[in-house]
Amino acid sequence: NAGVTQTPKFQVLKTGQSMTLQCAQDMNHNSMYWYRQDPGMGLRLIYYSASEGTTDKGEVPNGYNVSRLNKREFSLRLESAAPSQTSVYFCASKGQGETFGFFGSGTQLSVL
Amino acid sequence: GENVEQHPSTLSVQEGDSAVIKCTYSDSASNYFPWYKQELGKGPQLIIDIRSNVGEKKDQRIAVTLNKTAKHFSLHITETQPEDSAVYFCAAKIGGAGSQFYFGTGTSLTVIP
């Protein structure tokens, strides 16, 4: 099925550990996004990539890095995880038109 | 950046009644306003959207209205059903294809059978 695939679905880290969240889309979309979702705060943009080869900071980029590996894949890295990064992370992609409707199923991350 | 406020944060309605969720935005340059439904354990799903050159859009039991002068837009669900229970998010976008989307804080809708 076409869509946005995120891995892993769940992850528990200790403070200071690193990890990479993977995201891939098979819809030939140019733009890809990483959001975090916290209770009562909606979705906040961490980083986005408007096209292959470009990345830009969103609202809450501190503590994260991203890589747009190719047109399909956009990864999010936590170099030294902190408890404040406990959240649900969503990857999304968008094609040329306005419609923004393709989200992955999320990664629930806990940092102890 | 844009600031999107969403109200109410929780909403309970009886099955068959209507539900209305309202959002306001701060930047008059915002030009695209999608609405999402998020069920437990899943990612947001686009349910309807509206562009700044349109005042109202309907899709079966769901409608969205936009008032550019007042900078607010609303989601209307009629004849609610238990399967409409979910968290609903509004969003706003400024600019062209690679622009950012700004989300509201969500409304938890419960439809009581």
Side-chain angles (χ1 to χ4, degrees), chain A residues 31 33 48 50 94-100, chain B residues 29-32 92-101:
Chain A
S31 302
Y33 304 77
Y48 68 105
K94 184 172 116 35
Q96 288 284 56
E98 295 268 59
T99 303
F100 185 37
Chain B
S30 290
N31 55 17
Y32 173 66
K93 180 180 80 72
I94 305 172
S99 301
Q100 297 186 34
F101 286 77

Side-chain angles (χ1 to χ4, degrees), chain B residues 13-28:
Chain B
V13 299
Q14 292 288 335
E15 182 177 357
D17 287 351
S18 295
V20 181
I21 303 170
K22 298 182 179 180
C23 288
T24 61
Y25 59 98
S26 60
D27 196 323
S28 56

Side-chain angles (χ1 to χ4, degrees), chain A residues 9 31 33 35 37 40-43 45 48 50 57-59 90 94 96 98-101 103-105, chain B residues 31-32 34 36 38 41-44 46 49 51 89 93 95 97-106:
Chain A
K9 206 161 175 57
S31 302
Y33 304 77
Y35 287 89
Q37 184 175 36
M41 301 193 74
L43 288 151
L45 183 64
Y48 68 105
K57 294 179 180 179
E59 300 172 71
F90 288 99
K94 184 172 116 35
Q96 288 284 56
E98 295 268 59
T99 303
F100 185 37
F103 283 82
S105 55
Chain B
N31 55 17
Y32 173 66
Y36 300 86
Q38 186 177 24
K42 297 184 179 179
L46 177 69
D49 56 13
R51 287 161 177 73
F89 291 96
K93 180 180 80 72
S99 301
Q100 297 186 34
F101 286 77
Y102 297 87
F103 284 79
T105 51

Side-chain angles (χ1 to χ4, degrees), chain A residues 4-109:
Chain A
V4 179
T5 304
Q6 274 183 250
T7 55
K9 206 161 175 57
F10 300 95
Q11 184 72 49
V12 179
L13 294 177
K14 294 181 180 177
T15 297
Q17 287 185 316
S18 63
M19 79 159 296
T20 300
L21 280 63
Q22 307 287 352
C23 176
Q25 51 90 10
D26 56 7
M27 296 169 285
N28 202 36
H29 285 170
N30 286 327
S31 302
M32 297 185 74
Y33 304 77
W34 275 106
Y35 287 89
R36 61 177 288 172
Q37 184 175 36
D38 301 293
M41 301 193 74
L43 288 151
R44 292 184 294 166
L45 183 64
I46 306 171
Y47 271 93
Y48 68 105
S49 170
S51 61
E52 186 179 357
T54 69
T55 60
D56 287 286
K57 294 179 180 179
E59 300 172 71
V60 288
N62 291 345
Y64 305 95
N65 285 303
V66 290
S67 295
R68 184 74 183 264
L69 303 169
N70 46 55
K71 194 170 186 179
R72 288 189 64 245
E73 298 172 289
F74 187 39
S75 63
L76 178 72
R77 182 159 178 84
L78 287 70
E79 290 291 351
S80 179
S84 60
Q85 294 178 305
T86 294
S87 188
V88 180
Y89 292 84
F90 288 99
C91 177
S93 73
K94 184 172 116 35
Q96 288 284 56
E98 295 268 59
T99 303
F100 185 37
F102 296 94
F103 283 82
S105 55
T107 296
Q108 190 166 327
L109 176 66

Side-chain angles (χ1 to χ4, degrees), chain B residues 6-12 19-23 88 105-109:
Chain B
Q6 183 172 345
H7 299 280
S9 57
T10 60
L11 178 61
S12 292
V20 181
I21 303 170
K22 298 182 179 180
C23 288
Y88 292 81
T105 51
T107 296
S108 178
L109 172 66

